[in-house]
Amino acid sequence: MFKYSAKLACVVALVLSGCGGAPEQQPSETQTLESTEQGLIWACDGTRSFNRYWKVNGVEVGREYCDCDGTLSEFGQLTGRYSQTQNFYCN
């Protein structure tokens, strides 16, 4: 019984290797995550004051400041990955 199983396994391996087996997987391209694919991006709607920092390859390229009156100040390029820090909730 064992010999039969071993022979069958060898035949299956030969057939798969001769036929190419499973199709070769191409390496997937790396994808840059945009801000919409990260966590929640806070809206500057007057509920909180916050700062948002934008980075590309670990280098800061832009900033956003949100005030309690809903004013959003933008500096630099708003692209790449971001982090947000809340300053305080607005009254």
Side-chain angles (χ1 to χ4, degrees):
M1 182 74 177
F2 176 71
K3 288 183 182 180
Y4 176 74
S5 297
K7 287 180 184 178
L8 181 60
C10 287
V11 169
V12 169
L14 287 173
V15 170
L16 287 177
S17 65
C19 296
E24 186 176 323
Q25 301 240 347
Q26 297 296 326
S28 62
E29 296 180 20
T30 58
Q31 296 180 350
T32 304
L33 294 178
E34 299 296 330
S35 62
T36 56
E37 295 172 318
Q38 294 183 20
L40 286 173
I41 188 165
W42 295 332
C44 188
D45 57 5
T47 58
R48 72 181 108 209
S49 171
F50 64 86
N51 300 336
R52 187 176 299 129
Y53 306 95
W54 293 88
K55 293 183 179 183
V56 173
N57 295 327
V59 177
E60 185 177 307
V61 294
R63 287 187 183 194
E64 293 176 279
Y65 300 115
C66 177
D67 294 324
C68 284
D69 63 358
T71 303
L72 183 65
S73 303
E74 301 174 346
F75 303 95
Q77 298 177 352
L78 308 180
T79 185
R81 298 185 62 84
Y82 66 86
S83 61
Q84 305 176 119
T85 57
Q86 179 175 314
N87 300 328
F88 49 85
Y89 282 104
C90 304
N91 292 333

